[in-house]
Structure formats: C-alpha cells, structure tokens
Amino acid sequence: MSKEKTQEVLNQTVADLSKAAALIHQTHWYMRGSGFLTLHPKMDEFMDGLNEHLDEFAERLITIGGSPVSTLKEFDEKSKIELQPATWDKSMSERLQDVLNAYKYLAKLFQEGMDVAESEGDAVTVDLYTVALGDVEKTIWMLEAELG
C-alpha cells in the first residue's frame, strides 16, 4: 500500500504544527496583563510540545517515503491556521482564544490523520496521532479553564 493519503495528511500536519508554533511564539512575545507571570512560561511549554510532535510527524513522513514541507513559504501556503502580524491592542484573553482555536483545529486534524492512517493500514502513524491528540485535548481543557 502506498500510503499516499497518509503522506498527504502528515504533510498537512507538519505545516499546521509549524504555523501553530509560530502563533504561540507570537502570543508569548506580545502578551501583557494579568496572568503574564504564569502564561508567559506556559507558552514555552506549548511550543516545546508542538515542536516535539512536529519532529515525530516529519520523521514518520520521511520513513514512509514522503517529503515534508520545510520552508516558511510552504508552511504558510499549506497551513489552514491563520497568522496575522501582531499588534499590541489584543487582550490576553483574545490571544489565548486564538491559541485555543488553533488547538481545536489541530484536534480535528489529528482525528482525521488517525482515520486516514487507519484506512491505509498504518498503525504506527495512528499511534503518533493518538498520542498527539491526547496532548492537544489536554491543552484545550487547560486553555478553556483559563478562559472560563
């Protein structure tokens, strides 16, 4: 089995994780206000988590014969996560909502990745998506709790 659909969803995942990490980095740099002391380092944890998954997905893509997108231009063109130039006029809640929206999108993408990989008989990729989905769902829960 060629696993072409699995390669495609893995490449989508590489692009979207790259853009999600950039969004969190932007949030990290531009946050101000109540909660800064705890949320600023939390963004570092979020970026580290996404980057760990990014590396796993890109390496899996290579392992099954694919070629991961790897440039900022490719990430921007392929990703479905929107990222605008930052301004200082967004509140902490608005920034966290943007991060939450990105994580909710990733949860849907990871479920799609599990379904596609399973349909092509790729249990290893299913496992990668399963672990990543669990991490993303936990982060969604934490962000929703923070936002009230």
Side-chain angles (χ1 to χ4, degrees), residues 100-126:
L100 175 60
N101 291 342
Y103 273 95
K104 285 181 175 182
Y105 165 75
L106 290 173
K108 289 177 187 172
L109 176 64
F110 293 173
Q111 183 60 60
E112 177 187 347
M114 289 168 53
D115 295 342
V116 168
E118 186 172 21
S119 75
E120 293 189 330
D122 186 346
V124 174
T125 300
V126 171

Side-chain angles (χ1 to χ4, degrees), residues 4-143:
E4 287 180 30
K5 291 180 182 177
T6 299
Q7 289 182 28
E8 186 177 312
V9 74
L10 281 166
N11 234 343
Q12 183 68 53
T13 302
V14 168
D16 286 325
L17 282 170
S18 297
K19 285 279 289 276
L23 171 67
I24 293 168
H25 208 165
Q26 183 183 73
T27 300
H28 174 81
W29 283 342
Y30 279 81
M31 64 172 37
R32 298 287 183 269
S34 179
F36 175 87
L37 287 176
T38 55
L39 290 170
H40 194 261
K42 192 64 164 171
M43 294 303 116
D44 286 327
E45 289 177 35
F46 288 171
M47 282 186 291
D48 290 345
L50 291 181
N51 286 326
E52 285 177 27
H53 289 302
L54 171 61
D55 192 53
E56 291 291 328
F57 285 118
E59 289 175 355
R60 179 64 184 158
L61 179 55
I62 293 166
T63 299
I64 64 171
S67 301
V69 293
S70 60
T71 67
L72 296 175
K73 182 179 180 186
E74 289 171 308
F75 300 153
D76 199 40
E77 289 173 350
K78 188 161 187 64
S79 177
K80 295 177 183 167
I81 294 176
E82 292 294 321
L83 185 59
Q84 301 298 321
T87 62
W88 293 104
D89 61 348
K90 272 192 166 183
S91 69
M92 186 82 84
S93 293
E94 289 171 317
R95 292 196 183 285
L96 290 179
Q97 187 63 54
D98 289 345
V99 171
L100 175 60
N101 291 342
Y103 273 95
K104 285 181 175 182
Y105 165 75
L106 290 173
K108 289 177 187 172
L109 176 64
F110 293 173
Q111 183 60 60
E112 177 187 347
M114 289 168 53
D115 295 342
V116 168
E118 186 172 21
S119 75
E120 293 189 330
D122 186 346
V124 174
T125 300
V126 171
D127 286 348
L128 289 176
Y129 276 114
T130 301
V131 170
L133 179 59
D135 290 347
V136 163
E137 287 176 342
K138 183 177 180 182
T139 302
I140 290 169
W141 164 65
M142 286 192 283
L143 287 166

